[in-house]
Amino acid sequence: MATPTTLVAPRTQWLNTVEYPFEPKWFQSADGAMHYVDVGEGRPILFLHGVPTWSFLFRRLIPGLSTNFRCIAIDHLGMGLSEKPKSVDYRPAAHTRRLEALIASLGLKDVTIVAHDFGGPIGLEWAERNPDLVRDIVLMNTWLWSLAQFPLSRFVTNTASNPMNQYWFRLLNPSPKFYLPVLFADNHRLSKWVQDQYQNAFNNQFETYCPEALARALTSDEGWFESVRCRLERVQNKPCLILWGDQDVAYGGNALQRMEALMPNAAVVRLPGIGNYVPEEAPDLCLRHISAFLS
């Protein structure tokens, strides 16, 4: 059975431990070691990042919330400080299985999920599989429907699937520094040192197996997204908060309306002038609204 471990020592000389001061924790999944943060006491809040980010995305939310809650922020396998093995399954369903094993190892219940981007569908699948363990849900610019016909998703998938593109992509290693500014409403808010913290999480250009697999999954795994959506009735009545950057174009022009339809009882907060990476672009607003929601 997979259990917590302290056996992994990644190369983290680049890590800004002033901005990210959390003691590393480790979970040995069946596919590799996963890093996570676990600070504070009380009801658990589980933070789930997307692509190409990691738990660093939530660094400015955790200190404020950990005064009253137990804050757990994971790095999906293949991302952040977690191991990045080459020959493992990085599709969304596999991430959910590993998440489920980690949560079971920690014995979490009465969980608040805080999810962004790919963390949304991964976390929602775990939630609908374990509705009795879920207290409430916070969603930030995410989706749970097929993007196969969306031009931006097809472009990303085709780029990640083409062998020549993969060669140049890995040679130049531009991933976070390319995708992050593009989806910011104001890319001047993304300083170079922050970009470096996302970029350096991939120690070299041959560690991008997970982002590439998830890029392909945008269109190739459309059946999985639809299947999770069809089973969502188990958690649709849970208390829910949707924090939405209204300058985001990542999931289609009607993405917020579709998300509201999926979670009909959700409280919705539009964040004007904010793009996709809500916790990075508007951390103070996020902390204020999440604290109010949880109280």
Side-chain angles (χ1 to χ4, degrees), residues 53-281:
T53 59
W54 53 289
S55 55
F56 183 80
L57 180 72
F58 303 110
R59 69 194 180 280
R60 288 183 284 183
L61 305 186
I62 292 172
L65 292 171
S66 62
T67 58
N68 295 304
F69 301 94
R70 179 182 178 186
C71 293
I72 301 159
I74 76 161
D75 291 348
H76 300 300
L77 193 71
M79 306 284 283
L81 303 184
S82 293
E83 285 189 321
K84 302 171 179 67
K86 179 178 180 180
S87 301
V88 301
D89 189 351
Y90 284 122
R91 290 173 297 179
H95 286 294
T96 299
R97 291 195 298 270
R98 289 186 286 263
L99 174 66
E100 191 165 41
L102 189 156
I103 291 171
S105 76
L106 297 176
L108 301 183
K109 58 183 179 179
D110 206 23
V111 176
T112 294
I113 295 172
V114 177
H116 171 257
D117 187 63
F118 255 108
I122 292 168
L124 288 172
E125 187 189 32
W126 174 80
E128 61 85 7
R129 288 163 60 101
N130 302 273
D132 294 340
L133 300 181
V134 180
R135 179 186 180 93
D136 42 32
I137 301 168
V138 179
L139 299 173
M140 305 176 183
N141 288 63
T142 185
W143 85 105
L144 192 58
W145 49 83
S146 171
L147 295 175
Q149 303 306 314
F150 186 42
L152 178 60
S153 299
R154 292 203 306 272
F155 170 77
V156 172
T157 297
N158 292 338
T159 300
S161 301
N162 184 287
M164 185 60 70
N165 288 339
Q166 288 180 356
Y167 171 80
W168 285 108
F169 195 79
R170 290 173 179 169
L171 185 65
L172 298 173
N173 196 21
S175 181
K177 288 188 177 182
F178 174 77
Y179 287 112
L180 286 168
V182 169
L183 294 178
F184 263 60
D186 178 3
N187 59 26
H188 293 293
R189 294 182 183 177
L190 185 60
S191 63
K192 182 181 183 302
W193 79 263
V194 171
Q195 293 183 52
D196 288 342
Q197 294 298 291
Y198 291 115
Q199 185 75 25
N200 291 333
F202 301 100
N203 289 310
N204 61 66
Q205 62 265 43
F206 300 102
E207 289 189 339
T208 57
Y209 309 113
C210 177
E212 290 171 5
L214 291 177
R216 291 190 293 271
L218 287 171
T219 57
S220 64
D221 282 25
E222 59 178 317
W224 177 83
F225 290 104
E226 293 293 345
S227 71
V228 176
R229 182 182 59 79
C230 291
R231 289 178 272 128
L232 204 60
E233 68 274 2
R234 299 179 185 181
V235 294
Q236 282 178 316
N237 292 323
K238 298 284 184 181
C240 181
L241 170 65
I242 298 176
L243 296 175
W244 200 268
D246 69 358
Q247 298 300 305
D248 184 18
V249 297
Y251 317 113
N254 63 342
L256 176 56
Q257 290 74 23
R258 298 188 69 166
M259 188 56 66
E260 289 179 284
L262 287 177
M263 306 299 290
N265 294 325
V268 179
V269 178
R270 290 175 177 263
L271 302 175
I274 302 301
N276 179 274
Y277 294 97
V278 173
E280 193 69 67
E281 297 183 61

